[in-house]
């Protein structure tokens, strides 16, 4: 007897086949990854950065972070220099072999052997073993800082700076590196200037220079800086905030660069008329990790104290309807920072509710700096300033390293919206910082034994249900060295648990979806056979 299949099961089979074909094709054309899966790629890169649609090209899927920058906030405007290492080999075949070993984490192509690490860095070991460059071989291939020849601010000093390394790496090779618009952790294979040998170049870090007073609106930029504030309707007050001044750094090293609860690791700003800050965090662990860095800046660089630790047992008169019944008044913050989440509409409404009492303080003439950070800030942008003119700074997550610089502008009376796409960098935007670790800003850990360590930011997948690419930007990985150093610092500081953070929906999700539909199809098929 021939088994019969019901109409619904047959429809499911056809639908799954069509869906599998579509998803596989989509994954092949648009989810192309850079080699190595950890911010590493060769000179052969993914060319698919657009998708076809009726009426023309929809340029919505940038693969490289620098592709997401606006014309006024371009790569060559931001990137001053790069810290490079290299391995020099005699032929392209050898370069391919060494690149393959490095990008596969030490696995030797064609056999089951593994290139054993001795110092935690395969690139250093490879440079020591096979590089033909006698100047850098014994130092793990270290070239050092090389200036970007396309950066206009570098033009006057290029001959002096890049000439130092010209015997190691030729100017035309340096130019090729920056034309690739690299970021920290990238690895490239490039021909040497002699036409025979080849460089394998790793970018350890970038130096990004941002001037908050000039990073305002330009061609295609989402950044907005209002130098002059209007009086608030209904009260007649011009919004006031504390004054922030930049001073010479006073370095105090604690816990191998990890911020502790008692000492400031660094003070590079002076805030003469402010003492306390209040931070409210909503959302995921990524937001919690961001808040730890924000608190590190506020305490470690500005010398402020958390208001929550100063007001135990007291009632905040701004948050109740009958403040006259309160005998002991609670101190009010000088800086309020809301680190927000936009995954659900209710989370956004909480932001608007929380702003109410503090915008009322500003309407009464209280000098308070109000900062909205996180995903709601990135999503709403300038619309937040229109809805709440009392807000001083709308801070996209990628601008946390420049919080101190931006508050200086706020203290001058400016109103800022900083949501333009940025490139991540361990060095950040301030050359006075000399710490290793994430962005080189102080971190105020919220737990004594558990630490968050970011390994990747943003996402390139653009799943229909997910907001991450829109509020966290394109996918950018931290270098393996930086991740390792932060974990080592945490271990040295006594932390027992490290959680690696990222928000990438990788291609395995597509495979899981397909597997799920196939299992459902088989189940329906089995239950509809007569």
């Amino acid at each position: 007897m021939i088994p019969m299949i019901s109409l619904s099961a047959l429809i499911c089979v056809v639908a799954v086949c069509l869906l599998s074909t579509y998803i596989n094709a989509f994954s092949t054309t648009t989810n192309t990854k850079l080699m190595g899966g950890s911010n590493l790629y060769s000179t052969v890169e993914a060319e698919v950065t657009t998708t076809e649609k009726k009426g023309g090209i929809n340029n919505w899927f940038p693969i490289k972070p620098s592709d997401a920058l606006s014309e006024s906030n371009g790569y060559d405007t931001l990137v001053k220099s790069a810290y490079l290492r290299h391995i020099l080999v005699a032929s392209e075949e050898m370069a391919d072999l060494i690149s393959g070993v490095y990008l596969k984490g030490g696995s030797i192509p064609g056999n089951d052997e593994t290139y054993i690490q001795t110092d935690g860095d395969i690139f250093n070991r490879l440079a020591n073993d096979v590089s033909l460059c006698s100047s850098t071989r014994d130092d793990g291939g270290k070239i050092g800082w090389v200036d970007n020849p396309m950066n206009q601010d570098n033009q006057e000093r290029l001959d002096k700076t890049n000439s130092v390394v010209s015997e190691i790496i030729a100017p035309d090779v340096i130019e090729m590196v920056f034309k690739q618009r690299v970021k920290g952790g990238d690895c490239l294979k490039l021909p040497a200037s002699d036409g025979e040998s080849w460089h394998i170049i790793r970018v350890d870090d970038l130096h990004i220079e941002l001037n908050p007073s000039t990073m305002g609106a330009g061609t295609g930029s989402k950044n907005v800086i209002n130098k002059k504030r209007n009086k608030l309707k209904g009260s007649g007050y011009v919004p006031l905030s504390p004054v922030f001044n930049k001073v010479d750094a006073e370095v105090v090293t604690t816990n191998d660069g990890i911020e502790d609860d008692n000492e400031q690791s660094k003070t590079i700003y002076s805030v003469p008329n402010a003492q306390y800050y209040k931070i409210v965090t909503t959302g995921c662990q990524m937001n919690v990790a961001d808040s730890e860095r924000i608190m590190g800046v506020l305490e470690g660089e500005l010398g402020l104290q958390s208001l929550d630790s100063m007001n135990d047992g007291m009632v905040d008169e701004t948050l109740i309807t009958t403040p006259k019944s309160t005998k002991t008044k609670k101190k009010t913050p000088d800086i309020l920072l809301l680190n927000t989440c936009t995954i659900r509409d209710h989370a956004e409404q909480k932001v608007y509710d929380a702003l109410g009492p503090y915008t009322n303080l500003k309407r009464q003439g209280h000098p308070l700096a109000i900062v909205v950070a996180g995903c709601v800030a990135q999503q709403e942008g300038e619309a937040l300033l229109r809805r709440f003119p009392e807000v001083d700074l709308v801070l996209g997550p990628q601008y946390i390293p420049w919080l101190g610089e931006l508050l200086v502008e706020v203290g001058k009376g400016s109103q800022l919206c900083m949501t333009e796409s940025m490139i991540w960098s361990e060095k950040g935007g301030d050359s006075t910082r000399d710490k290793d670790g994430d962005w080189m800003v102080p971190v105020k850990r919220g737990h004594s034994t558990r630490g968050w360590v970011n390994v990747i930011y943003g996402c390139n997948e653009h799943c229909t249900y997910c907001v991450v690419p829109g509020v966290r930007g394109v996918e950018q990985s931290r270098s393996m060295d930086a991740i390792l150093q932060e974990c080592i610092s945490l271990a040295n500081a006594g932390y027992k648990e490290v959680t690696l953070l990222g928000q990438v929906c990788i291609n395995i999700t597509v495979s899981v979806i397909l597997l799920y539909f196939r299992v459902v199809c088989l189940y329906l098929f089995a239950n509809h056979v007569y």
Side-chain angles (χ1 to χ4, degrees):
M1 181 176 180
I2 301 175
M4 302 294 293
I5 304 175
S6 71
L7 180 61
S8 60
L10 182 61
I11 292 173
C12 285
V13 171
V14 174
V16 168
C17 291
L18 292 174
L19 181 63
S20 299
T21 303
Y22 171 76
I23 292 180
N24 285 330
F26 179 81
S27 177
T28 301
T29 55
T30 61
N31 289 338
T32 306
K33 291 294 181 184
L34 304 180
M35 289 180 58
S38 181
N39 202 28
L40 310 171
Y41 64 94
S42 72
T43 51
V44 181
E45 296 190 31
E47 296 294 338
V48 181
T49 58
T50 59
T51 54
E52 297 282 353
K53 72 170 187 175
K54 292 182 180 179
I57 298 294
N58 180 16
N59 190 16
W60 63 280
F61 197 84
I63 296 297
K64 296 167 64 177
S66 51
D67 290 334
L69 299 175
S70 69
E71 183 179 334
S72 63
N73 199 19
Y75 182 87
D76 292 328
T77 301
L78 291 172
V79 177
K80 298 281 289 184
S81 54
Y83 194 92
L84 305 181
R85 294 178 183 268
H86 85 135
I87 300 172
L88 184 66
V89 295
S91 66
E92 185 175 5
E93 291 76 13
M94 187 65 175
D96 290 334
L97 174 63
I98 300 303
S99 295
V101 172
Y102 175 63
L103 294 174
K104 293 179 181 178
S107 299
I108 299 176
N111 59 52
D112 297 330
E113 297 182 13
T114 301
Y115 191 79
I116 300 174
Q117 309 174 50
T118 58
D119 59 358
D121 189 333
I122 300 174
F123 195 94
N124 283 14
R125 173 77 185 278
L126 286 167
N128 292 334
D129 287 351
V130 304
S131 180
L132 300 177
C133 179
S134 58
S135 301
T136 64
R137 181 174 55 233
D138 296 334
D139 200 12
K142 184 176 73 174
I143 296 174
W145 287 102
V146 176
D147 283 344
N148 180 4
M150 273 78 77
N151 186 294
Q152 294 298 319
D153 294 337
N154 289 341
Q155 296 306 312
E156 294 183 1
R157 62 192 188 113
L158 277 176
D159 292 338
K160 295 180 180 179
T161 55
N162 287 358
S163 61
V164 176
V165 298
S166 59
E167 294 183 2
I168 301 173
I169 181 169
D172 59 326
V173 179
I174 294 175
E175 188 171 337
M176 281 192 285
V177 170
F178 286 99
K179 281 185 176 179
Q180 292 280 349
R181 294 182 295 180
V182 293
K183 59 187 184 302
D186 286 348
C187 186
L188 302 92
K189 184 191 76 176
L190 295 174
S193 56
D194 60 12
E196 297 180 359
S197 53
W198 286 75
H199 292 282
I200 302 164
I201 298 174
R202 190 180 77 180
V203 184
D204 279 8
D205 197 8
L206 299 179
H207 175 60
I208 296 174
E209 190 167 285
L210 221 63
N211 185 351
S213 63
T214 60
M215 65 172 77
T219 306
S221 176
K222 296 180 181 178
N223 289 346
V224 175
I225 299 180
N226 299 323
K227 294 288 187 179
K228 185 178 180 180
R229 302 288 292 273
N230 296 323
K231 291 183 178 180
L232 297 172
K233 294 181 179 179
S235 67
Y237 284 104
V238 174
L240 300 175
S241 70
V243 176
F244 303 88
N245 300 312
K246 192 168 183 177
V247 298
D248 294 334
E250 298 176 5
V251 181
V252 181
T253 303
T254 60
N255 289 343
D256 287 330
I258 301 298
E259 179 74 4
D260 67 15
D261 294 331
N262 301 315
E263 296 184 76
Q264 297 175 26
S265 62
K266 193 179 294 292
T267 301
I268 60 176
Y269 299 97
S270 170
V271 193
N273 58 343
Q275 289 182 281
Y276 306 112
Y277 74 89
K278 180 179 180 64
I279 184 168
V280 179
T281 305
T282 56
C284 63
Q285 290 93 333
M286 188 70 80
N287 268 17
V288 174
D290 285 349
S291 289
E292 290 182 347
R293 283 156 180 79
I294 291 170
M295 289 189 291
V297 173
L298 295 176
E299 295 190 21
E301 295 188 351
L302 280 78
L304 300 176
Q305 294 177 276
S306 172
L307 190 64
D308 294 333
S309 63
M310 304 298 297
N311 283 320
D312 294 340
M314 300 181 185
V315 179
D316 189 342
E317 64 174 334
T318 65
L319 302 179
I320 58 177
T321 55
T322 56
K324 293 182 180 180
S325 62
T326 305
K327 295 182 179 180
T328 306
K329 293 184 179 180
K330 186 178 181 180
K331 294 182 176 67
T332 55
D334 301 297
I335 299 178
L336 170 72
L337 195 144
L338 304 179
N339 195 8
T340 60
C341 172
T342 187
I343 197 67
R344 293 179 294 184
D345 181 66
H346 183 59
E348 294 179 35
Q349 297 304 320
K350 284 184 176 180
V351 176
Y352 304 141
D353 292 343
L355 281 172
Y358 295 99
T359 57
N360 184 51
L361 275 181
K362 294 206 76 168
R363 287 181 174 275
Q364 296 172 16
H366 186 78
L368 167 67
I370 299 179
V371 181
V372 180
C375 296
V376 171
Q378 186 68 36
Q379 175 180 279
E380 299 298 317
E382 192 180 0
L384 270 171
L385 300 183
R386 292 194 295 268
R387 182 165 183 172
F388 295 98
E390 299 86 358
V391 171
D392 298 285
L393 172 60
V394 177
L395 186 75
Q398 63 268 38
Y399 285 90
I400 291 174
W402 289 276
L403 177 58
E405 302 279 337
L406 297 171
L407 287 175
V408 170
E409 296 299 314
V410 168
K412 295 176 182 177
S414 299
Q415 184 183 45
L416 298 85
C417 172
M418 309 308 296
T419 55
E420 175 58 47
S421 296
M422 270 294 297
I423 303 174
W424 299 107
S425 171
E426 292 297 322
K427 192 172 181 62
D430 193 330
S431 59
T432 61
R433 299 189 179 108
D434 58 1
K435 287 190 172 188
D436 293 327
D438 193 16
W439 302 348
M440 300 185 74
V441 299
V443 180
K444 176 66 179 292
R445 302 286 177 178
H447 199 278
S448 60
T449 60
R450 182 178 65 242
W452 309 107
V453 176
N454 295 85
V455 299
I456 192 169
Y457 305 95
C459 183
N460 279 349
E461 300 305 324
H462 289 268
C463 300
T464 303
Y465 57 83
C466 184
V467 73
V468 168
V471 295
R472 290 283 177 174
V474 294
E475 183 179 314
Q476 300 180 67
S477 298
R478 292 181 66 199
S479 67
M480 291 183 287
D481 287 348
I483 297 167
L484 177 63
Q485 288 303 317
E486 186 172 358
C487 292
I488 291 173
S489 296
L490 283 167
N492 291 338
Y495 287 80
K496 305 299 183 184
E497 179 183 334
V498 172
T499 302
L500 303 180
L501 292 180
Q503 295 174 308
V504 176
C505 180
I506 59 177
N507 284 344
I508 192 172
T509 305
V510 176
S511 301
V512 170
I513 293 173
L514 289 176
L515 178 62
Y516 172 78
F517 274 97
R518 284 167 182 161
V519 170
V520 171
C521 178
L522 289 173
Y523 173 80
L524 292 173
F525 179 86
N527 284 275
H528 287 82
V529 175
Y530 295 101

